[in-house]
Amino acid sequence: AQSVTQLGSHVSVSEGALVLLRCNYSSSVPPYLFWYVQYPNQGLQLLLKYTSAATLVKGINGFEAEFKKSETSFHLTKPSAHMSDAAEYFCAVSAQGGGGADGLTFGKGTHLIIQP
Amino acid sequence: NAGVTQTPKFQVLKTGQSMTLQCAQDMNHNSMYWYRQDPGMGLRLIYYSASEGTTDKGEVPNGYNVSRLNKREFSLRLESAAPSQTSVYFCASRLQINTGELFFGEGSRLTVL
């Protein structure tokens, strides 16, 4: 079974500041890890994914995330926040190789607020 | 590029009414999913279909039924709607079970009065 914990339901940063959204996972097998972004009244769009290749993953819109097995973490960062980054962000985990129900297990989401 | 298409986008029901949410994907994916999204709860898996002809329960299946009509289409049915089923429903697909990312539709907002 897998689970995801996102620390902070709301995160507020100033425009131009570092964005750090935290995600910790639990998985009994090697995981695939994902970050999705959701803009108001829209579906979820993939930002980036980790599938057991490089531990530092680069995604769209200047975001990146680092897989740290020892810390069971997959935190999302962006060096300089832009107003257009304001959205809901979801971390998700999927078990490699099957076992149990399929699909991704999502965290509860972090609402990113950008202050001008 | 249509991707995953859901209908309807909005629906209001009275308690006890039934309805079906439709989902179709044009990416030749084998696996399809239905999630519900509620404030502060993230997305929770209702049902999924690993491949044409199979369906399985997810985390919150009670009160729902699904049909994998063909490879492209996966419908979600509420037989007797309840206020607790007020939610935003998302259909998603991926190439095959347990691999890769999900591709999502734009969602269907359902209100049960």
Side-chain angles (χ1 to χ4, degrees):
Chain A
Q2 303 98 249
S3 66
V4 174
T5 301
Q6 291 184 239
L7 295 177
S9 59
H10 291 78
V11 170
S12 180
V13 302
S14 298
E15 190 174 18
L18 172 71
V19 174
L20 171 60
L21 304 183
R22 300 178 186 274
C23 172
N24 289 89
Y25 71 91
S26 172
S27 178
S28 56
V29 297
Y32 291 139
L33 293 160
F34 307 84
W35 276 100
Y36 281 85
V37 61
Q38 184 182 34
Y39 299 103
N41 300 315
Q42 294 188 24
L44 278 73
Q45 177 184 359
L46 182 71
L47 270 179
L48 49 80
K49 63 182 178 182
Y50 166 77
T51 56
S52 74
T55 57
L56 181 62
V57 181
K58 295 187 184 298
I60 62 172
N61 301 339
F63 284 94
E64 63 181 36
E66 186 172 9
F67 172 68
K68 293 187 176 181
K69 183 178 179 180
S70 61
E71 299 177 6
T72 61
S73 69
F74 191 57
H75 301 331
L76 181 70
T77 60
K78 182 175 180 178
S80 178
H82 191 272
M83 295 300 291
S84 60
D85 295 326
E88 191 85 14
Y89 291 80
F90 292 95
C91 181
V93 64
S94 177
Q96 296 184 32
D102 188 35
L104 304 188
T105 299
F106 286 84
K108 294 184 177 181
T110 297
H111 186 64
L112 178 62
I113 301 163
I114 310 297
Q115 304 281 4
Chain B
N1 295 332
V4 178
T5 303
Q6 295 180 228
T7 56
K9 287 186 168 37
F10 300 94
Q11 184 72 48
V12 178
L13 292 177
K14 295 180 179 179
T15 297
Q17 288 184 319
S18 63
M19 76 158 298
T20 300
L21 299 177
Q22 306 285 355
C23 174
Q25 52 89 12
D26 63 1
M27 296 174 283
N28 201 34
H29 286 170
N30 291 304
S31 302
M32 298 185 73
Y33 307 80
W34 277 105
Y35 284 86
R36 61 178 288 173
Q37 182 181 24
D38 302 291
M41 300 293 290
L43 281 83
R44 292 179 292 168
L45 183 63
I46 304 171
Y47 271 93
Y48 67 99
S49 171
S51 60
E52 185 178 356
T54 70
T55 61
D56 284 287
K57 295 178 180 179
E59 180 185 355
V60 289
N62 291 347
Y64 304 96
N65 287 302
V66 291
S67 296
R68 183 73 182 268
L69 305 171
N70 48 56
K71 189 172 185 178
R72 292 185 62 249
E73 299 173 288
F74 187 40
S75 63
L76 178 72
R77 182 162 179 83
L78 287 70
E79 291 290 354
S80 179
S84 61
Q85 295 177 304
T86 293
S87 187
V88 181
Y89 292 85
F90 286 97
C91 180
S93 70
R94 63 178 170 182
L95 184 58
Q96 60 190 49
I97 190 168
N98 279 317
T99 63
E101 69 269 30
L102 293 181
F103 293 82
F104 283 86
E106 293 193 350
S108 298
R109 185 175 296 273
L110 175 65
T111 300
V112 183
L113 303 175

